[in-house]
Amino acid sequence: MSACKQCRYIVQTKDKVCPKCQGELSEKYSGMVVILDAERSEVAKIVEVNVVGSYAVKVR
Ligand SMILES: [Zn+2]
């Protein structure tokens, strides 16, 4: 899996660019949060995302 360097979205494909923001992907990321309900999730507010999915905590 790879994570986007810009929005931290985790993709499970071998794509080279993020499907959300076209940002560069990196395999060097740590931590993962899963947003199931972006509207109500407190975690979503903390990581500042508004789309359901998996996000890396840190991307290098
Ligand atoms: Zn992205």
Side-chain angles (χ1 to χ4, degrees):
M1 295 195 293
S2 302
C4 174
K5 287 181 179 177
Q6 284 189 49
C7 68
R8 308 199 300 271
Y9 187 63
I10 293 177
V11 291
Q12 303 195 20
T13 61
K14 298 263 179 186
D15 288 350
K16 290 266 167 70
V17 294
C18 174
K20 275 180 61 188
C21 71
Q22 316 305 314
E24 188 185 350
L25 298 178
S26 171
E27 289 182 4
K28 291 174 183 163
Y29 67 89
S30 60
M32 187 172 108
V33 290
V34 179
I35 306 301
L36 299 173
D37 187 340
E39 294 287 306
R40 291 182 218 169
S41 172
E42 291 296 317
V43 181
K45 287 176 195 163
I46 293 165
V47 295
E48 296 176 336
V49 296
N50 52 20
V51 179
V52 170
S54 303
Y55 295 84
V57 176
K58 277 186 182 176
V59 184
R60 281 177 286 152

